Amino acid sequence: MRTCNNKAQLQTAVKHCRKEGQTVAFVPTMGNLHQGHLDLVRKARKLCDVVVVSIFVNPLQFGPNEDLDAYPRTMAADKEKLFSEGVNILYAPGVDDIYPEGMDHQTVVSVPDLGDTLCGSSRPGHFDGVTTVVSKLFNIVQPDTAIFGEKDFQQLSIVRKMVEDLCMPITIVGVATTRDRDGLAMSSRNGYLSPEERRIAPLLHQTLNTCREAIACGFDNFLQLESHARMQLLQAGFEPDYFAIRDARTLRAVTDNTEEVAILAAARLGNTRLIDNVRLSLNPVDDWRMLADG
Ligand code: PAF
């Protein structure tokens, strides 16, 4: 595995692979890698000849009172994991390489609508920080394919929209959320949880599943389902930020045209903000196909 700490090194390494006619898959991360990231890498390896992973804790996507300084940085352990997974190139730039003129005068890429709701309302500027760094990384790496986790479903939807709107010649692939045995979605922030919080945390996924089952059984009073779920989370010790039943394509309210529903939640447990989501097709043919597929 070759490690590149700046754009020039990275571009030389990628150019070399391109000369050999190899295709390139890219997995952008902020490090502190867990099995969820490694599943993205495995998918990347299946899709392309060369896998590039970036590790960059992007200051532009953190709000002033968020955990930028505390965000876990575990480069040595991350490198070992990527090496074991057969990653070809690690791009681990410093802040100066990505924002050489500082962040105040940086051109910003912003996806409207999808980026304004849910986590976009509670973390103002967060998604502009994500889309700005992801477009910079895409321009630096110039991959054929980029892989993102479905755990950050809103982020994945926003990146897909950005790529479509800006005609970026990159295929975006989403990978199903990797979960611990008790259902908790894997996240670099799970490490902040105390043992007692870790015990409670899987309830977020259980509450999402209960809601999905109610909708699958035909219960269609979504406001009631949302407020019941929020109440359950509160009672369990969470501070819910949102629990929302939305159209999976628009992330707006479900309408008669909705084909797939996304149920998305963000909630604090102590100082840790957890997010998760589940989805449900409203097209009976899809349900039938899923049953037939086992
Ligand atoms: O999902 C993440 O880890 C980050 O938001 C990303 C996509 C690497 C951009 O900094």
Side-chain angles (χ1 to χ4, degrees), residues 192-256:
Y192 297 154
L193 296 168
S194 69
E196 176 57 6
E197 290 164 351
R198 177 62 190 79
R199 193 186 59 75
I200 298 169
L203 267 160
L204 186 62
H205 184 232
Q206 284 163 28
T207 311
L208 287 162
N209 270 342
T210 307
C211 181
R212 174 170 57 184
E213 278 158 28
I215 299 172
C217 290
F219 197 90
D220 61 359
N221 188 336
F222 291 170
L223 284 181
Q224 199 176 333
L225 283 174
E226 286 169 349
S227 77
H228 179 71
R230 271 194 292 268
M231 188 68 76
Q232 279 188 319
L233 291 174
L234 263 173
Q235 277 168 2
F238 289 89
E239 236 180 85
D241 179 356
Y242 60 77
F243 189 102
I245 301 169
R246 298 285 172 93
D247 180 302
R249 199 178 54 78
T250 61
L251 296 185
R252 295 283 157 189
V254 172
T255 68
D256 290 345

Side-chain angles (χ1 to χ4, degrees), residues 130-179:
V130 171
T131 40
T132 300
V133 82
V134 169
S135 14
K136 292 188 78 138
L137 292 168
F138 281 178
N139 285 332
I140 295 166
V141 178
Q142 303 199 0
D144 299 285
T145 302
I147 325 285
F148 290 82
E150 288 182 349
K151 177 185 156 269
D152 298 300
F153 186 71
Q154 187 175 11
Q155 169 173 281
L156 173 61
S157 311
I158 288 170
V159 169
R160 284 192 200 284
K161 179 84 166 69
M162 173 185 83
V163 163
E164 195 184 314
D165 284 358
L166 299 182
C167 309
M168 295 175 164
I170 300 172
T171 304
I172 302 299
V173 174
V175 171
T177 305
T178 307
R179 299 182 180 280

Side-chain angles (χ1 to χ4, degrees), residues 92-122:
V95 175
D96 287 357
D97 194 48
I98 299 292
Y99 301 114
E101 316 243 309
M103 293 188 299
D104 292 346
H105 306 288
Q106 168 65 49
T107 300
V108 168
V109 178
S110 187
V111 173
D113 306 326
L114 278 176
D116 302 334
T117 181
L118 303 167
C119 286
S121 332
S122 34

Side-chain angles (χ1 to χ4, degrees), residues 75-90:
M75 188 58 84
D78 290 350
K79 272 187 180 174
E80 273 180 34
K81 288 177 190 168
L82 295 177
F83 178 76
S84 313
E85 290 295 328
V87 167
N88 306 86
I89 303 173
L90 166 63

Side-chain angles (χ1 to χ4, degrees), residues 150 153 156 176-177 212 248 260-263 277-281:
E150 288 182 349
F153 186 71
L156 173 61
T177 305
R212 174 170 57 184
E260 191 186 23
V261 166
I263 312 167
N277 69 86
V278 295
R279 293 192 311 285
L280 166 85
S281 168

Side-chain angles (χ1 to χ4, degrees), residues 2-4 6-27 48-54 87-91 137-145:
R2 164 130 197 234
T3 300
C4 304
N6 61 53
K7 291 193 265 295
Q9 288 171 0
L10 185 276
Q11 282 165 336
T12 307
V14 173
K15 211 181 260 171
H16 179 78
C17 303
R18 290 287 187 200
K19 261 201 191 136
E20 307 282 305
Q22 291 172 311
T23 53
V24 177
F26 176 46
V27 183
C48 290
D49 304 316
V50 170
V51 177
V52 179
V53 174
S54 65
V87 167
N88 306 86
I89 303 173
L90 166 63
Y91 178 39
L137 292 168
F138 281 178
N139 285 332
I140 295 166
V141 178
Q142 303 199 0
D144 299 285
T145 302

